[in-house]
Amino acid sequence: MTDHVLVINAGSSSLKYSLIDAKSGTAAASGLVERIGEDESRHVHHGPDGDAETTRPIADHEDALRGALDAFESHGPSLDGLELAAVGHRVVHGGSLFGAPALIDDKLIAAVTDLVPLAPLHNPANLEGIEVARRLFPDLPQVAVFDTAFHQTLPEHAYTYAVPLAWRDEHGVRRYGFHGTSHAFVSAEAARLLGREPAEVNVIVLHLGNGCSVSAVRGGQSVETSMGLTPLEGLVMGTRSGDLDPAVPAYLERELGLTATEVDKQLNSASGLKGLAGANDFREVTRRRDAGDPGAVLAFDVYCHRIRKYVGAYYAVLGTVDAIVFTAGVGEHSAVVRAAALSGLEQLGITVDDDLNSSSSTDARRISPDGSRVAVLVVPTNEEWQIAREALAVVRT
Ligand code: AMP
């Protein structure tokens, strides 16, 4: 058997897959099926011979995964001779039940189904991906890797909201945190870059992508994170507001007659950078800001101010900080965000070197001057590799 894991990330109308060598992290192939259920579904397969793209009606996730398997056969690499070790599934919400990846069986499926009210958009799609993969790979072990699991080490005082006992005890109202796979991968890579063991370092990880979250990681364990019961809380994101006064929905209900569900929808899909600048893609926000668009200037300032506020708060949570790490689309690519978000923090030992920060390298690297008290790092995230590693660890134990 090889160390290859097929990693599957099933969304409501999409299916992403990667064939990863869990030991080296090399992706032998990957692909994306989009607009599942529509007439013009699109499938792109990145194989050893380049990209193959098809457009056809793809009815459901089973049709999508069958299409992916066909693409492996026609464009490579063939899965037949490969002896996959496992299929690893990204599952968004593991609630308080899963602090680690787990082998998928009927009991796990029932537990993830019970958690659907906490992640009504994501968990059903993840379950669909699992059901389909179990049908198409009946002999392979399947492993669920939860986005919430890394944050299950949060202490009770960090995950508890100050709300009535019945909400907490009977309805699971607490902070869970998300992007855990990325925070786990990036915090471990940061330790490696510092030449130390994860257990020896305290790091603040800023995952700035379409979704944004920050975590405080002490000795390899997450002790605080910005996303909460759902991924809405915390930093300003592409289309999500992040933190706001919990009284806002009731105010909008009184003033505009909006229901809580309508407000929730707009806070998730019409807020954040989109609400402030009219665009959720950070490259577009940057273009508009450079052109002097006042909405985009404000969006940038609100975005960076929120990050700075969290860095200060998580510095206080950790007490000592060895590194601040930027990752994901914006964190890895926007030197201007990195510089702005950390400006004025020199008294905390946090400095960004302009030349190092503006280098166009895509490798994991340090962007703080030599000898500064807190290392500032850029570390590309690799959630697929982390899922593959965790899945392999489960099937090899
Ligand atoms: P992710 O969710 O990690 O794929 O990140 C997506 C976000 O990263 C989008 O808002 C992109 O606009 C942003 N992004 C990607 N490349 C760049 C770049 N070169 N400069 C600024 N933002 C970028």
Side-chain angles (χ1 to χ4, degrees):
M1 189 186 290
T2 66
D3 296 325
H4 281 88
V5 174
L6 181 66
V7 174
I8 292 182
N9 181 356
S12 54
S13 63
S14 68
L15 186 131
K16 273 195 225 167
Y17 60 89
S18 311
L19 177 64
I20 307 271
D21 179 332
K23 287 277 162 63
S24 69
T26 307
S30 62
L32 170 65
V33 185
E34 293 175 293
R35 300 197 287 267
I36 295 173
E38 296 181 26
D39 290 342
E40 298 233 324
S41 316
R42 182 169 161 266
H43 177 189
V44 185
H45 180 84
H46 311 285
D49 303 325
D51 293 355
E53 183 171 339
T54 48
T55 305
R56 66 175 176 92
I58 296 176
D60 52 26
H61 286 77
E62 174 150 357
D63 196 359
L65 190 55
R66 283 189 191 282
L69 300 189
D70 289 346
F72 275 109
E73 284 321 303
S74 22
H75 304 290
S78 168
L79 296 181
D80 266 355
L82 204 61
E83 287 192 68
L84 288 176
V87 182
H89 294 268
R90 175 180 185 234
V91 180
V92 167
H93 218 308
S96 305
L97 294 174
F98 297 100
L103 207 55
I104 294 172
D105 55 15
D106 292 343
K107 211 166 128 224
L108 180 140
I109 289 176
V112 173
T113 306
D114 285 346
L115 292 165
V116 164
L118 288 173
L121 296 180
H122 294 105
N123 274 25
N126 302 154
L127 283 165
E128 182 68 27
I130 289 172
E131 296 288 1
V132 166
R134 285 180 106 198
R135 277 201 294 279
L136 298 192
F137 298 102
D139 301 325
L140 271 184
Q142 316 251 343
V143 178
V145 179
F146 298 92
D147 235 24
T148 45
F150 184 62
H151 302 302
Q152 277 296 298
T153 48
L154 257 62
E156 194 174 9
H157 58 255
Y159 72 67
T160 302
Y161 290 127
V163 297
L165 182 65
W167 298 5
R168 290 181 275 129
D169 270 10
E170 291 159 35
H171 300 284
V173 174
R174 51 158 285 183
R175 177 187 303 285
Y176 294 98
F178 298 86
H179 291 149
T181 308
S182 178
H183 287 284
F185 179 85
V186 169
S187 54
E189 279 297 293
R192 197 184 55 76
L193 204 60
L194 297 175
R196 300 174 61 189
E197 290 299 317
E200 298 169 352
V201 294
N202 290 351
V203 298
I204 296 173
V205 177
L206 290 157
H207 177 110
L208 308 177
N210 267 323
C212 300
S213 66
V214 45
S215 66
V217 182
R218 175 182 287 133
Q221 298 204 320
S222 177
V223 294
E224 182 56 283
T225 194
S226 58
M227 285 177 165
L229 176 82
T230 77
L232 184 57
E233 193 179 350
L235 299 175
V236 175
M237 315 183 207
T239 61
R240 298 188 203 125
S241 62
D243 294 337
L244 83 166
D245 184 338
V248 167
Y251 173 77
L252 293 174
E253 184 191 320
R254 287 195 305 274
E255 289 300 306
L256 302 180
L258 293 176
T259 64
T261 303
E262 285 162 346
V263 174
D264 186 62
K265 196 167 162 216
Q266 295 207 36
L267 290 175
N268 273 289
S269 61
S271 300
L273 297 170
K274 191 169 181 195
L276 292 168
N280 62 297
D281 188 302
F282 208 87
R283 285 164 291 201
E284 180 58 22
V285 175
T286 307
R287 272 192 289 277
R288 293 185 188 188
R289 174 177 180 259
D290 291 345
D293 176 336
V297 170
L298 179 63
F300 182 90
D301 291 346
V302 174
Y303 184 91
C304 292
H305 174 72
R306 186 79 55 84
I307 296 171
R308 191 178 314 115
K309 213 162 82 166
Y310 267 96
V311 168
Y314 285 11
Y315 203 121
V317 166
L318 289 170
T320 57
V321 176
D322 298 289
I324 295 173
V325 198
F326 286 92
T327 194
V330 179
E332 290 167 32
H333 299 292
S334 179
V336 42
V337 163
R338 295 192 295 256
L342 298 186
S343 70
L345 301 182
E346 294 78 9
Q347 288 295 324
L348 297 178
I350 301 168
T351 318
V352 171
D353 178 282
D354 287 343
D355 290 338
L356 295 174
N357 187 32
S358 52
S359 120
S360 57
S361 165
T362 53
D363 294 337
R365 63 197 185 277
R366 185 181 177 120
I367 58 167
S368 49
D370 276 351
S372 54
R373 194 149 33 100
V374 178
V376 182
L377 310 176
V378 178
V379 174
T381 193
N382 194 333
E383 289 167 276
E384 287 78 15
W385 187 11
Q386 182 71 15
I387 291 172
R389 283 203 293 220
E390 293 192 14
L392 190 70
V394 167
V395 299
R396 293 277 157 90
T397 49

